[in-house]
């Protein structure tokens, strides 16, 4: 009997399996109720009393050994199954969740594309500026309120350094570094010391436009902006210009576009006027041309500036400016998928 036990022990030691079915067969063969080990137990009855102790111990050892071996084999098979799952190259890939483009970027790109079609090139400039580029070169008088701490973020240790309050500052860089004809559109972040509310923020985005050449006229400005409005808000759009004041343009105007929501009939978005204000513009003041070294006798130009948030609010029907800066994915996911 001891020989039989030894034999079985050897057999079990050598077991190797490839599948769970095979293992199950072996489990039944060795350790089930009708298996080899149970049969040994039955035969144990016939063992002579002087051998009982030794044989009993050997059967127990064999039984534990077989049970353990089967357990280890089973674990090995399970591990293999989960490993190979990760390596199956024929499985479809996990879909990658693409983000969505930020609504401000969508509108910014759309606006830039329109002006690029007209021959404008994109220029950019620094967000941290000096007084010259933000104010002085743009003809801001000394006492202008924008130069006040209340409206502008100055760097405490050096009041000549500040966060730009508008992208018009890049006009100055462009005029300093380029030769006419100059046709630039400049997107960027601007900063103002404003209390944050649904319609104002201390940081927002603008696009500035500048066109300088010989014989640029107010008619060119008007036609350019009409084309822009039709491209952005639809073919039926119209614009109207209202006289205004900016230190860097003369004459200056504010531009309204016919309300694309009610078609000009009047609704709560346009406050029942049929018009929406979208930008400021004008003919570049000769003082501004001269300050940047451009001959104002030879060249004239127009400039315009618009807030991207405001236009995005109109296009997307967003009624709270703060939503753009909170990065709530429930808000952001509603816009075009990035491509
Ligand atoms: N810089 C002005 C602002 O921030 C916008 C503006 C108005 C820009 C008229 C211009 C312009 O270039 O001609 O409110």
């Amino acid at each position: 009997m001891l020989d039989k036990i030894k034999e079985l022990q050897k057999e079990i030691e050598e077991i190797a399996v490839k599948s769970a079915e095979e293992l199950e067969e072996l489990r039944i063969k060795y350790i089930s109720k009708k298996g080899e080990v149970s049969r040994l137990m039955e035969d144990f009855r016939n063992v002579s009393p002087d051998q009982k102790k030794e044989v009993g111990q050997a059967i127990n050892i064999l039984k534990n050994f077989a049970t353990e071996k089967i357990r280890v084999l089973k674990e090995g098979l399970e591990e293999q199954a989960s490993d190979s799952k990760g390596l199956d190259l024929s499985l479809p890939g996990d879909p990658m969740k693409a983000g969505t483009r930020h609504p401000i970027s969508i509108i910014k790109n759309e606006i830039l594309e329109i002006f690029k079609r007209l021959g404008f090139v994109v220029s950019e400039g620094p967000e941290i500026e000096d007084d010259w580029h933000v104010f002085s070169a743009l003809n801001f008088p000394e006492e202008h309120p924008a130069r006040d701490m209340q409206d502008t973020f100055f760097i405490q240790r050096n009041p000549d350094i500040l966060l730009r309050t508008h992208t018009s500052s890049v006009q100055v860089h462009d005029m300093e570094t380029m030769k006419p004809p100059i046709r630039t559109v400049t997107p960027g972040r601007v900063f103002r010391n404003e209390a944050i509310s649904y319609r104002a923020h201390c940081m927002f985005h603008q696009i500035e436009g500048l066109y300088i050449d010989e014989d640029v006229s107010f008619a060119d400005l008007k036609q350019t902006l009409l084309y822009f409005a039709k491209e952005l808000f639809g073919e039926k759009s119209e614009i109207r210009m209202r006289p205004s004041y900016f230190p860097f343009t003369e004459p200056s105007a504010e531009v309204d576009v016919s309300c694309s929501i009610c078609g000009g009939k009047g609704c709560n978005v346009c406050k029942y006027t049929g018009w929406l204000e979208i930008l400021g513009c004008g003919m570049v003041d000769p003082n501004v041309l001269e300050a940047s070294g451009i001959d104002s006798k030879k060249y004239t130009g127009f400039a315009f500036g618009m807030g991207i948030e405001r236009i995005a609010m109109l296009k997307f029907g967003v009624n709270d400016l703060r939503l753009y800066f909170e990065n709530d994915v429930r808000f952001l996911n509603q816009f075009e998928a990035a491509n």
Side-chain angles (χ1 to χ4, degrees):
M1 187 136 181
L2 282 172
D3 288 346
K4 170 85 182 154
I5 292 173
K6 248 191 212 144
E7 209 177 285
L8 279 173
Q9 167 99 17
K10 196 142 185 273
E11 243 179 76
I12 294 170
E13 258 168 32
E14 282 164 11
I15 291 177
V17 288
K18 288 210 183 71
S19 68
E21 291 77 32
E22 242 181 279
L23 181 65
E24 179 61 7
E25 270 171 32
L26 292 167
R27 187 191 68 78
I28 294 169
K29 179 169 178 203
Y30 292 108
I31 55 173
S32 70
K33 274 196 185 125
K34 287 185 182 142
E36 298 281 0
V37 176
S38 301
R39 207 169 303 149
L40 285 176
M41 300 237 200
E42 273 166 32
D43 293 347
F44 182 67
R45 270 180 264 151
N46 309 324
V47 171
S48 62
D50 58 325
Q51 282 198 318
K52 268 208 155 88
K53 190 173 171 201
E54 196 183 353
V55 174
Q57 268 174 358
I59 294 177
N60 260 337
I61 290 171
L62 179 70
K63 187 183 169 196
N64 292 340
F65 176 74
T67 311
E68 181 61 12
K69 172 91 186 189
I70 302 262
R71 191 190 67 76
V72 169
L73 286 173
K74 188 169 174 218
E75 230 174 60
L77 281 177
E78 279 167 3
E79 234 164 66
Q80 243 177 40
S82 67
D83 274 5
S84 60
K85 198 165 139 210
L87 282 172
D88 184 350
L89 300 180
S90 67
L91 285 175
D94 290 334
M96 216 175 36
K97 209 170 169 302
T100 51
R101 215 175 279 290
H102 194 282
I104 297 300
S105 300
I106 296 172
I107 295 298
K108 178 188 81 175
N109 292 341
E110 217 175 299
I111 295 171
L112 293 179
E113 282 310 313
I114 295 170
F115 286 103
K116 281 197 231 167
R117 289 202 284 278
L118 290 174
F120 284 74
V121 296
V122 176
S123 69
E124 285 187 44
E127 292 175 354
I128 301 172
E129 267 292 7
D130 52 20
D131 177 279
W132 172 256
H133 288 89
V134 178
F135 297 132
S136 298
L138 287 168
N139 207 31
F140 276 77
E142 269 310 317
E143 70 285 1
H144 195 283
R147 290 174 176 255
D148 196 274
M149 300 276 278
Q150 229 90 79
D151 295 288
T152 302
F153 292 113
F154 288 89
I155 307 298
Q156 234 169 15
R157 268 191 289 170
N158 182 354
D160 187 44
I161 307 296
L162 49 107
L163 298 182
R164 67 180 176 195
T165 56
H166 53 184
T167 42
S168 305
S169 53
V170 187
Q171 271 190 34
V172 180
H173 286 287
D174 290 346
M175 288 188 283
E176 285 169 345
T177 54
M178 298 176 182
K179 284 203 166 59
I182 300 171
R183 253 186 253 117
T184 52
V185 269
T186 307
R189 269 197 297 198
V190 301
F191 307 85
R192 288 185 197 174
N193 194 0
E194 303 252 13
I196 295 171
S197 75
Y198 74 97
R199 56 198 294 256
H201 212 283
C202 57
M203 181 208 80
F204 55 100
H205 299 76
Q206 288 187 330
I207 291 183
E208 183 79 14
L210 178 70
Y211 177 28
I212 295 173
D213 201 353
E214 289 176 36
D215 299 326
V216 176
S217 70
F218 200 88
D220 296 324
L221 170 61
K222 199 169 169 187
Q223 204 53 38
T224 303
L225 294 178
L226 179 62
Y227 172 80
F228 163 69
K230 284 180 182 293
E231 288 291 291
L232 190 65
F233 291 103
E235 184 50 37
K236 292 213 181 81
S237 301
E238 289 176 56
I239 58 167
R240 74 173 182 188
M241 293 177 128
R242 287 176 288 107
S244 185
Y245 171 77
F246 299 102
F248 34 93
T249 42
E250 182 59 37
S252 304
E254 257 156 328
V255 175
D256 300 338
V257 63
S258 52
C259 179
S260 53
I261 290 161
C262 61
K265 285 192 207 80
C267 66
N268 59 352
V269 175
C270 61
K271 304 211 177 72
Y272 301 95
T273 63
W275 296 96
L276 300 162
E277 188 190 322
I278 53 162
L279 56 83
C281 66
M283 300 305 291
V284 180
D285 193 302
N287 288 342
V288 172
L289 294 173
E290 294 292 339
S292 296
I294 290 182
D295 183 355
S296 66
K297 302 249 168 17
K298 187 165 180 206
Y299 295 107
T300 52
F302 66 68
F304 55 87
M306 64 187 95
I308 305 181
E309 278 78 3
R310 177 161 170 75
I311 292 180
M313 281 169 100
L314 296 174
K315 288 267 295 187
F316 291 130
V318 171
N319 57 12
D320 190 330
L321 189 76
R322 290 168 292 198
L323 289 166
Y324 289 126
F325 307 115
E326 283 166 0
N327 278 341
D328 184 332
V329 285
R330 291 170 302 178
F331 172 72
L332 297 175
N333 274 345
Q334 297 174 69
F335 303 92
E336 166 207 75
N339 43 44

